[in-house]
Amino acid sequence: MVENRPWLTVTRHLVLILGVFIIGFPIWIALVASTNSSSEFVSGLMPLWFGEEGFGNFRRVLTNEERVLGVSVSASWMMWNSFIMAMVIAVGKIVISILSAYAIVYFRFPFRKTCFWLIFLTLMLPVEVRILPTYEVVASLGMLNSYAGLTIPLIASATATFLFRQFFMSVPSSLMEAARIDGAGPFKFFKDILLPLSVNNIAALFVILFIYGWNQYLWPLLITTDENYYTIVMVIKRLMSAGEGNIPWNIIMTTTILAMLPPVIVVLGMQKLFVKGLIEQEK
Amino acid sequence: MHDNAVFSHKVLPFFLLAPQLIITLVFFIWPAGQALYQSFLIEDAFGFSVEFVWFENFIYLLEDPEYWNSVRVTFVFSAMVALVGMILALLLAAMADRVVKGASAYKTLLIWPYAVAPVVAAVLWWLMFNPSMGVLPFWMDAFGYDWNHYVNSGEAMTVVVIASAWKQISYNFLFFLAGLQAIPRSLIEAAAIDGASPFKRFWQIVFPLLSPTAFFLLVVNIVYAFFETFGVIHATTLGGPGSSTKTLVYKVYEDGFVGLDLGGSAAQSVILMIIVITLTVVQFRYVEKKVQY
């Protein structure tokens, strides 16, 4: 503290509390909505306090009782799909990126620069700008409506490769020389020295990539027509298309809470790692 | 730097790189090439006839007022999302930077929206702004304002901007906070001794030192608003009312998957790729500059 100005401290807390309130208000609304019955959302004012239907709403959504979700699968099944998608994308991105970064930093081979630039190109092309041709490629490979189609096309990652490359370059080269003198080959060096050193980076990256995978929307929307592969985020939009007046807001908000829960738990549970991983992406 | 410390294997590195390279080639480079190729073709929706038309798709696009409307919408939308998200985040970060008591609690309570999917954010705000029973129009009604985002394009835009910016505040907040905490305390203290008020110190010392962070965030936020907010539009306004919230990415999707205009959609993809590449280059220039600094 540079100097003591009590009024300034009070203002700071007031602004922050107001900020927390505004940021959190939508969640309050969602929680409240998930405990009310659908008749509360027809007209007048939406409920601002908890109702009695919370248990029933969550049970109906999780088991898809009476087909409340308008599809043939339950929310628990779709959360499982989202989980598989998030895990495969996060782990896959980490594995293939750490291997490529290892190759680029610790080996000298022809076309090293070319490979690096090829990977760099992927950073420039988010799936959103080339959706139709990517869809056609996936369709021609017969990967529509499969976990492979949901995950593999999103698994290449320039960002993660850069991060690991940056980190490997900061590892002192004397470690590598010492390992070589002791007779360690590339596998042993990677497994026994580099991997243990990278644990923190891997964990930090995992948090960000898990959220990235869980929150995918456009891609699963395009390549799944079989309801067995629907993700939890996708189904919310389907419920929204019921038409004004028929939108089952309590069911939507219950689904919304379920869709938010896992990534929010990951962010809050691994907060330190998450913040570190996020800020380091910039470097 | 590592020249003394490299393995001499010639084949192993290609095996290590293979998974990444194969996926990049099959799912990135190949489709991007396809988009470029298709953008020079006119094809009917069933693929019966294909005609090579050079730049006709692009010319048609650039003469289409609908396309220019979409360009305008995207720029307005992105600028608003970036500004709203960054200003609020900077305010909160500047406040949180100097708080001693409860600092980590505030941080925790401000960062979680990062984990929320854009489409989820959109649905939350869409409910709160619902004209017939939403809580915000209800309050506005008390001031005599009649809110209806189903007919009023400015109001529809406001909802999608708020939903998109809300989700992004936590990201901006963390970067601004990290930027603020990297500023040497001695600078602030010296200014305080010279009698500069907290506001003066913020605008004349802190703010200029924060400008690299702000610039980085500006690029990130524009990229986010351009490409990651498809779900926001798709779950709520569907580009409407009229075409008032039809962003470029939404239009690519609509023309390609709903309108089945493959050539036109591919041409739009190519233009978007050029925009992404420009933004990436700008971002990397900045990173390079910072490394030298």
Side-chain angles (χ1 to χ4, degrees):
Chain A
M1 191 62 78
V2 177
E3 76 247 275
N4 191 20
R5 296 192 192 221
W7 61 269
L8 204 59
T9 311
V10 172
T11 316
R12 282 197 175 108
H13 283 283
L14 283 179
V15 171
L16 283 169
I17 289 166
L18 192 67
V20 167
F21 175 76
I22 292 172
I23 299 263
F25 189 58
I27 297 312
W28 172 259
I29 291 290
L31 280 172
V32 165
S34 71
T35 64
N36 278 282
S37 68
S38 58
S39 58
E40 304 281 333
F41 296 89
V42 179
S43 62
L45 176 62
M46 60 191 292
L48 295 174
W49 193 254
F50 298 100
E52 319 263 278
E53 296 290 315
F55 185 72
N57 284 341
F58 277 95
R59 195 193 63 231
R60 286 194 295 155
V61 168
L62 281 169
T63 60
N64 196 25
E65 216 171 279
E66 302 149 22
R67 254 181 97 90
V68 280
L69 297 172
V71 289
S72 61
V73 289
S74 66
S76 23
W77 180 252
M78 285 182 277
M79 286 175 82
W80 172 243
N81 284 344
S82 293
F83 179 75
I84 292 182
M85 191 174 173
M87 283 304 280
V88 174
I89 289 179
V91 174
K93 268 180 189 271
I94 288 171
V95 170
I96 69 169
S97 302
I98 202 167
L99 291 180
S100 352
Y102 183 52
I104 286 170
V105 174
Y106 285 99
F107 292 87
R108 289 293 171 274
F109 53 96
F111 304 115
R112 197 173 69 101
K113 280 264 159 65
T114 319
C115 292
F116 184 70
W117 279 101
L118 267 179
I119 295 168
F120 179 69
L121 270 174
T122 66
L123 184 77
M124 292 178 171
L125 302 172
V127 79
E128 280 79 2
V129 310
R130 50 183 172 79
I131 41 178
L132 201 59
T134 314
Y135 170 83
E136 283 166 356
V137 168
V138 171
S140 64
L141 292 174
M143 284 162 64
L144 298 181
N145 291 316
S146 70
Y147 289 121
L150 277 174
T151 52
I152 294 174
L154 301 178
I155 251 175
S157 170
T159 330
T161 311
F162 272 104
L163 228 62
F164 283 121
R165 173 177 167 266
Q166 224 71 350
F167 172 67
F168 289 163
M169 287 181 7
S170 74
V171 172
S173 49
S174 50
L175 263 181
M176 157 85 177
E177 282 156 19
R180 275 222 309 207
I181 291 166
D182 289 345
F187 284 108
K188 204 168 169 49
F189 174 67
F190 182 73
K191 186 169 86 56
D192 290 343
I193 295 176
L194 225 42
L195 216 50
L197 283 174
S198 315
V199 166
N200 254 344
N201 288 45
I202 291 174
L205 207 54
F206 176 82
V207 180
I208 289 161
L209 296 178
F210 181 86
I211 293 164
Y212 166 85
W214 182 277
N215 288 345
Q216 282 302 311
Y217 178 70
L218 178 58
W219 187 244
L221 186 76
L222 293 182
I223 73 149
T224 58
T225 45
D226 179 349
E227 294 176 349
N228 282 314
Y229 293 99
Y230 277 12
T231 63
I232 188 85
V233 174
M234 273 171 73
V235 82
I236 294 170
K237 148 73 189 170
R238 285 183 67 95
L239 291 165
M240 292 284 286
S241 13
E244 180 64 13
N246 297 319
I247 300 181
W249 282 111
N250 58 335
I251 297 300
I252 292 184
M253 287 302 139
T254 310
T255 316
T256 302
I257 302 269
L258 291 172
M260 279 190 293
L261 212 54
V264 168
I265 289 174
V266 169
V267 161
L268 295 183
M270 296 172 81
Q271 192 179 338
K272 277 227 169 70
L273 279 170
F274 157 68
V275 172
K276 176 183 170 319
L278 199 66
I279 304 289
E280 278 188 3
Q281 272 196 329
E282 181 207 9
K283 285 174 190 154
Chain B
M1 49 157 279
H2 266 290
D3 275 353
N4 296 327
V6 294
F7 292 107
S8 50
H9 294 252
K10 287 282 176 273
V11 187
L12 184 61
F14 287 106
F15 278 105
L16 294 173
L17 278 165
Q20 176 99 296
L21 287 179
I22 290 169
I23 290 170
T24 307
L25 285 174
V26 174
F27 297 108
F28 288 75
I29 314 275
W30 173 245
Q34 283 282 306
L36 195 62
Y37 176 63
Q38 278 174 352
S39 68
F40 293 110
L41 301 177
I42 287 182
E43 195 175 341
D44 69 50
F46 305 102
F48 290 139
S49 69
V50 181
E51 197 189 340
F52 192 83
V53 292
W54 286 108
F55 293 98
E56 212 171 284
N57 284 320
F58 291 94
I59 293 167
Y60 179 78
L61 207 57
L62 296 178
E63 283 174 349
D64 183 7
E66 270 285 297
Y67 187 70
W68 284 107
N69 172 64
S70 189
V71 170
R72 195 188 53 81
V73 165
T74 310
F75 275 91
V76 171
F77 173 72
S78 310
M80 302 262 285
V81 169
L83 279 181
V84 171
M86 286 172 66
I87 290 172
L88 290 177
L90 178 59
L91 176 71
L92 291 171
M95 297 299 137
D97 183 33
R98 292 305 171 72
V99 160
V100 182
K101 281 197 190 100
S104 64
Y106 285 128
K107 205 166 154 184
T108 305
L109 288 168
L110 288 171
I111 63 167
W112 60 266
Y114 176 86
V116 177
V119 53
V120 169
V123 171
L124 290 174
W125 287 94
W126 198 242
L127 169 62
M128 285 163 55
F129 274 111
N130 186 296
S132 49
M133 49 74 186
V135 56
L136 300 174
F138 183 83
W139 286 338
M140 282 183 248
D141 199 44
F143 294 95
Y145 190 87
D146 189 19
W147 176 277
N148 191 343
H149 54 226
Y150 289 104
V151 291
N152 185 313
S153 42
E155 289 167 7
M157 178 63 100
T158 309
V159 182
V160 288
V161 165
I162 290 178
S164 311
W166 172 75
K167 186 216 137 45
Q168 200 64 358
I169 286 179
S170 30
Y171 184 91
N172 299 340
F173 170 79
L174 282 173
F175 274 91
F176 275 133
L177 192 62
L180 285 168
Q181 287 173 347
I183 293 172
R185 282 287 172 266
S186 52
L187 269 179
I188 316 277
E189 276 158 20
I193 290 164
D194 286 348
S197 71
F199 291 101
K200 202 168 177 183
R201 291 200 302 260
F202 182 80
W203 288 114
Q204 301 201 336
I205 299 170
V206 176
F207 194 67
L209 284 172
L210 220 48
S211 62
T213 310
F215 179 72
F216 167 81
L217 284 176
L218 186 66
V219 177
V220 169
N221 277 282
I222 287 174
V223 171
Y224 161 79
F226 259 66
F227 302 110
E228 284 166 49
T229 52
F230 169 83
V232 175
I233 313 277
H234 189 242
T236 58
T237 65
L238 291 169
S243 296
S244 57
T245 54
K246 194 183 282 179
T247 57
L248 288 167
V249 167
Y250 189 76
K251 193 170 157 58
V252 173
Y253 164 82
E254 205 184 56
D255 291 356
F257 280 89
V258 186
L260 294 174
D261 169 14
L262 305 184
S265 175
Q268 293 179 39
S269 284
V270 171
I271 296 178
L272 279 176
M273 284 189 227
I274 295 170
I275 298 176
V276 185
I277 291 170
T278 316
L279 285 171
T280 317
V281 170
V282 169
Q283 198 175 335
F284 268 78
R285 277 273 160 81
Y286 153 77
V287 172
E288 266 170 27
K289 229 163 83 192
K290 217 186 68 170
V291 170
Q292 281 169 8
Y293 168 73

